[in-house]
Amino acid sequence: MSPPAGDSYNTHINRPQVRPPSGDTVTDVRTRRLSPPVRRALPWLVAGLLLATVGLPSAAALGALPSPALVGFSHPEGANTSATVNLTDQPRFAPSSLSANPNATLSVELVNNGSYDHTFTLSRVPNVVLDPAWTPAQLDAFFATNGSLANVSVAPGGTAWANVTFNASTSGESFEFVSVVPYQFQAGMSGFVNLTATGPGVLLMENTTDSYAFVPAVLAANSSHYPIVIDVLITNQGSLGHTFTVSSLSNYTLSPANFTDTFTTNAPFVNQAVGSGVGTTTWANFTVRHAGVYQYICTIPGHFANGMTGELYVGVPPPAPVAPPSTAIVETWVLFGSVGLLGIGVLVAVVASYSGRFPSKPGEGHH
Ligand SMILES: [Cu+2]
């Protein structure tokens, strides 16, 4: 939509002010020594150029942040894996999220740290979240009907192993494990084995920076089924170490003052250390059971308080585009900002010069 011919806003409003007085053509200015308006504009010119040289490279660096090289998944396909899971009287499995590979065996060492019996009972049905509202009898009925991939009882202080081989067709699926000792599952004792090798549920990319920021600060994952496996590749763009710690409380705002208390009572989905050093990459692999908005923070002292936080939208539309603003937009604004400041400076200098508001330097006199 171009303005109709003859309607030239810029010409009417601006040009008479910015233009040198009549007779002063550009050529005239350059052949003489610097005229007072040009001399007064020089500091503004320098400032504008400095701003441009500082602003443009940093804008370019910002644009480069969100696109680290994708180096591969955290777990190679077909490799046997092992893990140790503690069974506690809280009652909980710790950790409660395991990764395994299709066409390979997962060996789980089960250590009962508590003073009650616990079981590690692994569902045979993929991608189904068992209902904690079930009675112990209903839970038993579920396993009687559907079977289990493992069902190991561990006495207090005891250790046992569960070995499970997943075939290729399980890639990308999740299997829940629970303790079937009455009311332990109902009190929260459950977890998931995620088959992540070739079928990550959702692959996301995140960056950490020395300015205490996650870039982007909004991540989004959509899914038609739960649980959903989320694999986040985190690249450290700065030299400071960080953590990528995802709250397991949906639609809950953490506070820098009390997030440690919150995490004590509600363990985060994942608490992944991000190594110091530019370019360091690490994976955070975790399972989300329900749609919601989950806050993530850096738990290094002071970082969250300085703004190092973000939000993960799972099955919920994010409020803003996930992608950060493109480099081109940032550069354009910086450029226009620099040019605008420069223009204002020149204008002020010209006006000041001809209105005589600034005293002349001694010896300069008037021409
Ligand atoms: Cu940090």
Side-chain angles (χ1 to χ4, degrees), residues 208-209 212-214 240-243 297-300 303-304 308:
T208 53
T209 74
Y212 309 116
F214 289 109
L240 300 176
H242 300 284
T243 76
I297 66 167
C298 172
T299 61
I300 304 292
H303 289 204
F304 178 25
M308 195 154 187

Side-chain angles (χ1 to χ4, degrees), residues 331-358:
E331 282 181 343
T332 302
W333 276 106
V334 172
L335 194 60
F336 277 118
S338 304
V339 170
L341 276 176
L342 184 61
I344 290 168
V346 170
L347 188 65
V348 167
V350 169
V351 170
S353 172
Y354 284 94
S355 64
R357 282 182 59 190
F358 294 163

Side-chain angles (χ1 to χ4, degrees), residues 51-353:
L51 188 69
T53 54
V54 169
L56 286 175
S58 60
L62 187 69
L65 282 180
S67 51
L70 185 56
V71 294
F73 302 124
S74 53
H75 308 289
E77 182 179 14
N80 295 331
T81 52
S82 61
T84 297
V85 173
N86 295 301
L87 293 74
T88 75
D89 287 346
Q90 195 177 12
R92 289 291 185 278
F93 293 105
S96 61
S97 183
L98 303 177
S99 293
N101 303 305
N103 276 332
T105 298
L106 168 69
S107 299
V108 186
E109 182 185 29
L110 304 162
V111 179
N112 188 337
N113 292 319
S115 50
Y116 292 92
D117 286 333
H118 298 288
T119 79
F120 177 88
T121 304
L122 180 61
S123 169
R124 185 178 286 279
V125 186
N127 304 325
V128 166
V129 180
L130 306 185
D131 187 351
W134 285 350
T135 65
Q138 287 174 310
L139 184 64
D140 288 343
F142 172 85
F143 283 109
T145 302
N146 299 289
S148 58
L149 294 172
N151 183 24
V152 179
S153 184
V154 191
T159 297
W161 287 83
N163 303 305
V164 187
T165 300
F166 297 94
N167 62 38
S169 67
T170 57
S171 180
E173 299 183 331
S174 293
F175 297 86
E176 187 166 7
F177 52 88
V178 302
S179 174
V180 295
V181 174
Y183 299 106
Q184 292 188 355
F185 164 63
Q186 289 79 3
M189 192 165 183
S190 78
F192 289 92
V193 176
N194 304 312
L195 282 293
T196 59
T198 58
V202 172
L203 187 62
L204 300 173
M205 284 185 275
E206 182 59 272
N207 299 274
T208 53
T209 74
D210 279 353
S211 50
Y212 309 116
F214 289 109
V215 180
V218 173
L219 294 173
N222 216 339
S223 180
S224 56
H225 72 268
Y226 294 91
I228 175 177
V229 179
I230 298 182
D231 298 305
V232 184
L233 176 61
I234 304 148
T235 304
N236 195 347
Q237 303 289 351
S239 56
L240 300 176
H242 300 284
T243 76
F244 178 75
T245 307
V246 184
S247 170
S248 59
L249 299 171
S250 67
N251 308 309
Y252 180 88
T253 303
L254 298 167
S255 145
N258 65 16
F259 71 85
T260 46
D261 291 342
T262 305
F263 286 156
T264 301
T265 49
N266 300 277
F269 282 141
V270 68
N271 181 24
Q272 180 63 50
V274 181
S276 59
V278 175
T280 302
T281 58
T282 187
W283 287 87
N285 312 103
F286 55 100
T287 305
V288 177
R289 304 177 190 202
H290 305 287
V293 183
Y294 301 91
Q295 188 176 2
Y296 53 91
I297 66 167
C298 172
T299 61
I300 304 292
H303 289 204
F304 178 25
N306 275 289
M308 195 154 187
T309 179
E311 286 177 318
L312 169 65
Y313 289 76
V314 180
V316 178
V322 178
S326 80
T327 308
I329 290 171
V330 176
E331 282 181 343
T332 302
W333 276 106
V334 172
L335 194 60
F336 277 118
S338 304
V339 170
L341 276 176
L342 184 61
I344 290 168
V346 170
L347 188 65
V348 167
V350 169
V351 170
S353 172

